[in-house]
Amino acid sequence: MLFLTFLISVSVASQDLLKKCYLEQFTIGDPEVKIQIYFEDHVIKNHQIEYECLEFIISRGYYKVALSLYENYFLLNHIDITDRIVAFLKNDKYLNQREMQTLFKLAMAKSNQVQVVQPVVQWAQSKNATFINIKFSHRQDAPACLNAKLEVVEIKNDSLLIEAFGIVSHIPFKYRYAIKLYKPIDPATSYEKVESVGTMYVNLTKIEPVLWLRLTEEDYKTPIWWDLKDNFRKDMEEFAQMLEKESERKERNADKQAKKNQKKRDQDKQKQTSLKAQEAKRQLEYEHNQCYKPGKCEIGWYQRQ
């Protein structure tokens, strides 16, 4: 009788957890990928999830679901469950599973070990605004981070700060883009907008309606977003001419600097030659003077003469 009561209580508790962890609609025979898709599309985006649900999902053998839940909910929301999940996964029964090995390594990584990278950035402009396209990726030819979560957007009069957090191939990345702008903008009418997955767009309203020579205060070469050329043809063509003239100016300055450097090298070489000649002359004078002292001129200047 006691054993039957125990089984009933376990069953009730299990049913409660199934409901609490959004698993009540699934049966043991359902493919795990179906559960994973449901969690990623509905549960993670719309509900708060308690830590015990992660343990429960693991104990049910839904390892891919658990890894996705940890990455896309707990990690992306900076919910620190490191100590609890590490202690739970030390059970060899779970660490034999590839997904749990990955989860364990992620959990063991401390926040200061998260790699900070600058996202891929392009920019364009009209006389009235500057447009910035940001792709949360560590390089141009790599795909965007699909689960990148925007955390900080600071648009100020003279600067821009964007920070996001995401996980690529089970590796956490912090994307950070911080610049001093070339000229002042109006933060009140500027705005940002999340575009397709893993990308965003920033529109900065210029205070002075003129074309900028570059995006940042520093002489940093940010790639041009030429896809917007058709949207602002006249301004972008003028901008292209500005860039060409600036390139020619830099090339002329580089030629001048090269000639200046060559002139200095020639002067240094001439100076070194003069110093060597003076040193040789002093040596000859020294040997000459030594040869007029008795017993001192054995192989010196005097005998050579």
Side-chain angles (χ1 to χ4, degrees):
M1 185 65 181
L2 289 175
F3 181 68
L4 180 59
T5 303
F6 172 75
L7 288 179
I8 293 173
S9 64
V10 169
S11 178
V12 171
S14 180
Q15 288 297 322
D16 289 342
L17 273 174
L18 283 171
K19 184 176 181 180
K20 184 177 182 180
C21 300
Y22 311 99
L23 289 169
E24 74 275 13
Q25 61 181 299
F26 300 105
T27 63
I28 295 177
D30 287 331
E32 186 176 6
V33 66
K34 178 181 177 182
I35 304 173
Q36 183 179 347
I37 291 172
Y38 175 76
F39 264 74
E40 291 176 354
D41 290 348
H42 301 286
V43 178
I44 291 173
K45 295 178 181 179
N46 303 310
H47 300 282
Q48 289 187 343
I49 305 168
E50 296 184 16
Y51 166 74
E52 63 181 329
C53 287
L54 182 61
E55 286 192 2
F56 181 66
I57 289 170
I58 293 173
S59 68
R60 300 278 294 191
Y62 299 139
Y63 303 121
K64 290 184 176 65
V65 178
L67 178 57
S68 176
L69 178 61
Y70 181 72
E71 289 183 339
N72 296 303
Y73 181 78
F74 290 99
L75 270 186
L76 285 181
N77 290 293
H78 300 292
I79 301 173
D80 187 6
I81 58 170
T82 301
D83 293 339
R84 297 173 72 180
I85 193 63
V86 166
F88 180 75
L89 289 178
K90 283 184 177 178
N91 186 330
D92 290 338
K93 178 179 72 172
Y94 298 125
L95 285 182
N96 288 332
Q97 305 297 323
R98 180 170 56 85
E99 291 84 5
M100 295 301 95
Q101 292 173 7
T102 301
L103 198 160
F104 185 79
K105 290 176 183 177
L106 276 172
M108 288 294 289
K110 300 300 180 182
S111 59
N112 61 1
Q113 293 176 325
V114 174
Q115 187 175 355
V116 179
V117 297
Q118 179 170 299
V120 176
V121 176
Q122 295 177 305
W123 78 293
Q125 63 174 321
S126 67
K127 284 188 170 68
N128 296 313
T130 292
F131 317 104
I132 304 176
N133 183 48
I134 299 174
K135 181 174 80 168
F136 295 111
S137 175
H138 59 290
R139 67 175 191 269
Q140 180 65 47
D141 59 348
C145 176
L146 299 181
N147 60 9
K149 183 176 181 180
L150 196 59
E151 295 184 331
V152 176
V153 178
E154 290 184 1
I155 301 176
K156 296 183 179 180
N157 176 263
D158 63 346
S159 65
L160 173 67
L161 172 63
I162 304 290
E163 290 185 355
F165 181 76
I167 300 164
V168 180
S169 298
H170 309 303
I171 300 174
F173 284 93
K174 181 177 181 179
Y175 300 94
R176 189 174 194 274
Y177 184 60
I179 58 170
K180 285 285 186 181
L181 295 168
Y182 182 62
K183 288 193 174 185
I185 56 99
D186 179 13
T189 55
S190 300
Y191 62 91
E192 81 282 353
K193 182 171 68 172
V194 175
E195 294 284 271
S196 58
V197 178
T199 65
M200 69 175 295
Y201 164 84
V202 182
N203 187 310
L204 303 176
T205 304
K206 295 177 179 178
I207 291 179
E208 184 183 4
V210 295
L211 293 176
W212 295 1
L213 184 59
R214 55 182 180 268
L215 174 62
T216 66
E217 185 181 69
E218 302 81 9
D219 192 8
Y220 177 78
K221 191 173 181 180
T222 306
I224 309 301
W225 192 8
W226 290 115
D227 289 348
L228 289 191
K229 187 174 181 179
D230 291 338
N231 299 48
F232 309 96
R233 182 170 294 278
K234 184 178 177 181
D235 289 342
M236 288 295 285
E237 286 178 352
E238 186 178 339
F239 178 38
Q241 293 172 2
M242 285 177 59
L243 293 176
E244 186 175 352
K245 290 179 181 179
E246 178 66 7
S247 177
E248 291 172 355
R249 184 190 68 80
K250 287 184 176 181
E251 189 174 340
R252 288 194 300 270
N253 288 344
D255 289 340
K256 288 180 182 178
Q257 187 62 43
K259 291 177 181 178
K260 185 178 179 180
N261 292 341
Q262 184 60 49
K263 184 178 179 180
K264 188 176 185 304
R265 285 193 294 269
D266 292 342
Q267 290 174 343
D268 290 343
K269 185 177 180 180
Q270 186 178 2
K271 185 177 179 181
Q272 289 295 325
T273 302
S274 177
L275 289 173
K276 287 180 180 179
Q278 292 175 18
E279 180 63 26
K281 183 178 179 181
R282 283 195 296 269
Q283 183 65 26
L284 286 173
E285 290 175 351
Y286 171 77
E287 291 181 0
H288 171 73
N289 292 334
Q290 288 294 91
C291 284
Y292 284 96
K293 296 179 182 180
K296 296 290 184 180
C297 189
E298 294 160 352
I299 59 170
W301 178 84
Y302 179 78
Q303 286 190 355
R304 290 200 299 273
Q305 298 301 314

